[in-house]
Amino acid sequence: MSEQRPAGRPRSEKLRVGVLASGRGSNLQAIIDAIEAGALQARIAVVLSNKKDAQALERARHHSVTDVFLDSKPYAGQPDSREAYDRAILEVLRKHEVELIALAGYMKIVTPVLIKAYPHRIMNIHPSLLPAFPGLEVQKKALDWGVKIVGCTVHFVTESVDEGPIIIQAAVPVLEGDTADTLSERILAEEHKIYPRAIQLYAEGRLRVEGRHVLVAGATEATTASLMNPA
Ligand code: GRF
């Protein structure tokens, strides 16, 4: 069991989130929008990317959020290059007093260096109903498999990729004629709802991890009506 609110921070101070992103940054944008709309009581302390031209960095700048490009190339020659890179990330996160890390389209596998420094304090968003379809190109895999319902998942990050305790999920029906693109678009719209929601639950100190389970204090349960497809 682990306490999900960092000790020592007065409730009046906003949760400091560090976002790691490699690309487009639409999930980052959803988090920024939720903060600006007052739906998420947090502040983004820093947005860090391993890609210099990541749109996520531009989005951060546009909203006067500190952005950092951290090149992984200088670490490439070292025997523990991934760990060395994560140590450099850790330094940035600590400098900005980050309490919770949100991976948002971050295309590198995080090593135990970060995971041990932030136990159950790293979230990731994945465009499938985990544990179905971990990894990449998951919408295509879902279509190829012929599933009728897909979705997205926010989970805590552990050393096993895409396997950490699940915080929140949203389901989306697969429609006739869907392509990986149309499906991604509808899943993404749900991602943009559940990621800020998951962070807000964390900020409110309502998440507790027990083994594989994330207990959500005072959660309003989903409607018992099922999503059937075809209806
Ligand atoms: C999203 O589909 C997310 O689930 C996955 O990578 C994509 C990132 O999109 N991990 P964006 O950069 O947030 O727009």
Side-chain angles (χ1 to χ4, degrees), residues 74-127:
Y75 303 89
Q78 304 179 22
D80 64 342
S81 58
R82 288 171 52 221
E83 287 77 8
Y85 183 65
D86 275 1
R87 279 193 289 275
I89 290 185
L90 201 51
E91 222 172 278
V92 175
L93 298 174
R94 286 192 168 139
K95 179 175 158 211
H96 293 281
E97 298 177 9
V98 166
E99 297 166 287
L100 176 74
I101 303 173
L103 308 183
Y106 181 61
M107 298 307 284
K108 284 177 91 69
I109 292 172
V110 299
T111 70
V113 168
L114 276 188
I115 295 167
K116 290 205 173 91
Y118 283 86
H120 291 142
R121 288 179 189 177
I122 308 177
M123 288 184 185
N124 180 43
I125 181 127
H126 183 79

Side-chain angles (χ1 to χ4, degrees), residues 21-29 56 59 103-107 124-128 139 152-153 184 187-188 191-192 195:
S22 302
R24 178 178 58 180
S26 72
N27 276 289
L28 164 68
Q29 188 67 54
R59 292 185 195 261
L103 308 183
Y106 181 61
M107 298 307 284
N124 180 43
I125 181 127
H126 183 79
S128 80
Q139 295 88 350
C152 48
T153 304
S184 300
I187 294 171
L188 200 60
E191 293 183 31
H192 296 165
Y195 213 174

Side-chain angles (χ1 to χ4, degrees), residues 137-151:
E137 297 194 12
V138 298
Q139 295 88 350
K140 182 180 179 307
K141 285 181 194 158
L143 284 175
D144 289 349
W145 195 267
V147 296
K148 305 290 190 200
I149 294 175
V150 292

